[in-house]
């Protein structure tokens, strides 16, 4: 698959070049922009439906799936029609599946993320805050238990084992 860095954008219609420059002007630096002035993308007209590149791995073309080596070639028309069939089936299959599945899956995804947000806000974060509040008391109690019981035992075992030396040698047959 060819990476996007090799693709070149070719302008066909130069009549409204000034209008395009105004529409595609870069955003102001963060220190000069205000959140109320920056336009929010609408759900009805979006230039890029994957602005963060979440689905880069799904950019599949005909040549990524089917390719003929130089030693064997089918008829040119067969190759062209196969490419057209592949692209048509991919595009129309996707469109038909999204007509059937997009609304229910987005509804379920929205409910799932709402449930996760609710659990995070009302269950997880309060538990974490309780742990952070109680942790200093538990830490001092745990350090006392370690210093009284575990540290002397480990020190004794270490002194007993400090005189043991292990010599590894390779045994030949």
């Amino acid at each position: 698959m060819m990476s996007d860095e090799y693709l070149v954008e070719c302008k066909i219609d130069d009549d409204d070049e000034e209008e395009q420059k105004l529409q595609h002007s870069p955003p102001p630096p963060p220190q000069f922009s205000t959140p109320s002035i920056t336009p929010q993308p609408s759900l009805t007209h979006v230039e890029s439906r994957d602005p963060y590149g979440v689905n880069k791995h799904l950019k599949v073309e005909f040549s990524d799936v089917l390719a003929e080596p130089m030693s064997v070639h089918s008829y040119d028309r067969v190759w062209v029609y196969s490419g057209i069939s592949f692209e048509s089936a991919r595009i129309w299959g996707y469109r038909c599946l999204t007509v059937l599945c997009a609304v229910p899956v987005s509804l379920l995804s929205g409910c799932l993320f709402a449930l996760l947000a609710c659990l995070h806000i009302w269950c997880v974060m309060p538990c974490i805050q309780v742990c952070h509040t109680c942790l200093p008391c538990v830490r001092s109690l745990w350090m006392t238990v370690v210093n009284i019981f575990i540290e002397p035992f480990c020190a004794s075992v270490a002194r007993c084992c400090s005189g043991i030396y292990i010599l590894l040698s390779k045994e030949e047959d």
Side-chain angles (χ1 to χ4, degrees):
M1 188 166 111
M2 182 181 287
S3 67
D4 292 338
E5 66 186 22
Y6 297 112
L7 298 177
V8 178
E9 182 180 347
C10 298
K11 291 184 179 179
I12 296 174
D13 189 10
D14 292 328
D15 293 338
D16 53 352
E17 187 174 329
E18 282 296 319
E19 185 178 299
Q20 287 181 353
K21 283 183 183 178
L22 292 175
Q23 289 177 352
H24 299 294
S25 63
Q31 63 266 23
F32 297 117
S33 66
T34 58
S36 61
I37 295 176
T38 56
Q40 297 296 324
S42 67
L43 293 176
T44 57
H45 186 294
V46 179
E47 288 183 24
S48 174
R49 293 187 183 183
D50 189 8
Y52 301 113
V54 175
N55 293 316
K56 286 182 183 177
H57 60 283
L58 293 178
K59 291 181 180 178
V60 178
E61 296 178 4
F62 179 67
S63 60
D64 296 331
V65 178
L66 299 170
E68 290 182 334
M70 292 299 293
S71 59
V72 291
H73 279 271
S74 62
Y75 294 112
D76 288 339
R77 294 205 182 253
V78 170
W79 184 254
V80 170
Y81 291 143
S82 298
I84 292 170
S85 301
F86 175 84
E87 290 297 326
S88 299
R90 183 177 65 86
I91 290 170
W92 283 104
Y94 176 77
R95 288 177 181 168
C96 292
L97 287 171
T98 55
V99 164
L100 297 174
C101 301
V103 173
V105 169
S106 62
L107 181 67
L108 289 174
S109 299
C111 291
L112 175 67
F113 283 111
L115 176 68
L116 288 174
C118 181
L119 288 175
H120 184 76
I121 291 168
W122 294 102
C123 296
V124 174
M125 286 310 293
C127 289
I128 290 173
Q129 290 301 325
V130 166
C131 289
H132 281 298
T133 304
C134 296
L135 198 59
C137 300
V138 173
R139 182 174 181 256
S140 64
L141 179 66
W142 180 250
M143 290 305 294
T144 304
V145 169
V146 167
N147 288 334
I148 292 174
F149 297 109
I150 300 175
E151 183 184 7
F153 175 74
C154 291
S156 300
V157 171
R159 285 186 184 154
C160 291
C161 295
S162 64
I164 299 174
Y165 293 101
I166 298 175
L167 179 63
L168 299 174
S169 63
K170 190 174 186 182
E171 188 176 309
E172 295 183 29
D173 292 333

